[in-house]
Amino acid sequence: MNRSISLIFPFSIMLAALAHAEPVVDLPRTCSLAREAADAGDLMGAIVRAECLISGGEKNDDPMPLARQLARQAQAKGSLAAGFVLYEIFALDPKYSYAPGGKVDMNRYNALAATPVAQRGEQIEALNGLSSAVSAGHERAVTTTLGYLITTIAPGNLDRTIGIATGMQRAKMSIPPALAGDVQLAQYIKKLGVSQTSVSTFKNAYGSALAAAALQIRGINNDAACEVKDIKIVRIDGVEPIANAVYLSLNQPLENSYLVQGSWSESWTFAGCDKTATVKMLFTADGWGGAHYSSSPIKLH
């Protein structure tokens, strides 16, 4: 069985959180001023101090709990930007990391994926903070949400991906080059039919599906006159409802956007060399935003 894992969307930490602020030159001084402002009850000071803590701009032996406290206090006082900072804190918190030094640790990933929903309070808080921020049009939250939807498995996330990207274009917001190709792929998948995958899971599963289809079309002896590059996916249908679905309890617009448990199958049809082959794809949520998948041939015609 193969696996598609969820990757945290990479975003930059901008310590100058004020809109259109000039680049920070004296980081220690900026973080010192943020601490003074936060202690005086200033909302923006609390937000900037939280970002100083998680980025290392303010030294602290255990920065994440204090950063969360500051962001929560700012959010309780009505700061929508604080919701986005709560998501930043979660994304950068070492206890939720499965790729120390940039290398995926599958044992760590599996441990995170097995976390019971009842113990995911900080994850749910972070995603609801992101949801609130994107609803308010917070630009960094909108871009981050696009990355989140591209990498997270749940029915409707392809539509959400396209919807967010369309809204960004209408608002004259630039789509990061690293995500532009994934947005185009989401639009392409949508044209093939209804799929309950995410863009990332589709990309990871495609090779397995193509191999199964090519085996049918080319035959066991691998007909040399038929090249794999000539075999393309042409249709997705036969999508089943999610069996035993469990979602994180999130607010709109991210409600039901994170499938923790559940499985379903889809039929992917490929064509090439004057033949078509249909492959049954079985997907099972892995618990941390990605999915396990397997492929099996259905028919050749």
Side-chain angles (χ1 to χ4, degrees):
M1 177 175 288
N2 295 302
R3 176 199 298 270
S4 167
I5 65 176
S6 171
L7 298 177
I8 295 174
F9 174 65
F11 50 79
S12 61
I13 303 299
M14 295 188 293
L15 296 178
L18 294 171
H20 309 299
E22 291 299 317
V24 176
V25 176
D26 188 347
L27 184 55
R29 177 60 176 162
T30 297
C31 290
S32 176
L33 290 173
R35 181 170 182 169
E36 292 178 14
D39 289 345
D42 181 77
L43 292 185
M44 187 57 70
I47 292 170
V48 175
R49 187 186 178 195
E51 292 198 311
C52 282
L53 284 162
I54 61 178
S55 68
E58 178 182 330
K59 302 304 179 184
N60 189 291
D61 291 337
D62 191 16
M64 297 302 176
L66 178 55
R68 277 195 179 89
Q69 178 184 343
L70 289 165
R72 286 168 179 162
Q73 290 172 347
Q75 186 180 50
K77 293 179 181 179
S79 170
L80 293 173
F84 175 67
V85 174
L86 280 171
Y87 182 79
E88 283 187 312
I89 294 166
F90 170 79
L92 295 175
D93 193 332
K95 71 181 177 181
Y96 298 117
S97 171
Y98 56 83
K103 183 178 180 180
V104 173
D105 180 341
M106 289 310 306
N107 290 330
R108 179 62 181 154
Y109 184 91
N110 291 334
L112 289 168
T115 306
V117 172
Q119 297 176 20
R120 297 191 182 211
E122 290 179 346
Q123 183 183 25
I124 292 170
E125 174 187 55
L127 287 168
N128 278 335
L130 180 64
S131 188
S132 297
V134 76
S135 293
H138 186 287
E139 187 166 339
R140 290 167 64 200
V142 171
T143 302
T144 299
T145 298
L146 180 62
Y148 160 79
L149 293 170
I150 285 169
T151 58
T152 305
I153 195 80
N157 278 3
L158 285 172
D159 288 332
R160 293 184 180 100
T161 297
I162 295 169
I164 287 282
T166 300
M168 291 176 69
Q169 291 169 335
R170 288 175 178 169
K172 308 299 182 184
M173 292 172 58
S174 60
I175 296 175
L179 299 181
D182 288 325
V183 170
Q184 292 175 353
L185 181 55
Q187 295 166 336
Y188 174 74
I189 298 168
K190 187 67 178 175
K191 292 178 181 178
L192 295 172
V194 177
S195 176
Q196 297 181 141
T197 63
S198 65
V199 172
S200 290
T201 295
F202 178 89
K203 287 195 296 186
N204 289 329
Y206 186 82
S208 176
L210 176 60
L215 181 60
Q216 293 185 78
I217 291 173
R218 301 181 73 204
I220 296 177
N221 295 324
N222 290 330
D223 181 5
C226 178
E227 297 187 44
V228 174
K229 67 180 180 62
D230 296 323
I231 301 173
K232 309 292 183 184
I233 189 169
V234 295
R235 186 172 66 255
I236 297 177
D237 55 17
V239 179
E240 297 178 347
I242 307 291
N244 304 314
V246 175
Y247 297 89
L248 288 187
S249 180
L250 303 179
N251 301 329
Q252 288 287 6
L254 296 184
E255 184 179 12
N256 291 342
S257 69
Y258 197 112
L259 184 67
V260 180
Q261 299 175 24
S263 60
W264 77 98
S265 66
E266 304 179 2
S267 295
W268 291 13
T269 299
F270 291 77
C273 307
D274 299 322
K275 297 177 183 178
T276 59
T278 301
V279 177
K280 184 175 184 178
M281 299 297 297
L282 176 63
F283 297 94
T284 302
D286 69 10
W288 202 247
H292 303 285
Y293 57 88
S294 61
S295 59
S296 58
I298 298 178
K299 58 185 176 179
L300 175 68
H301 48 96

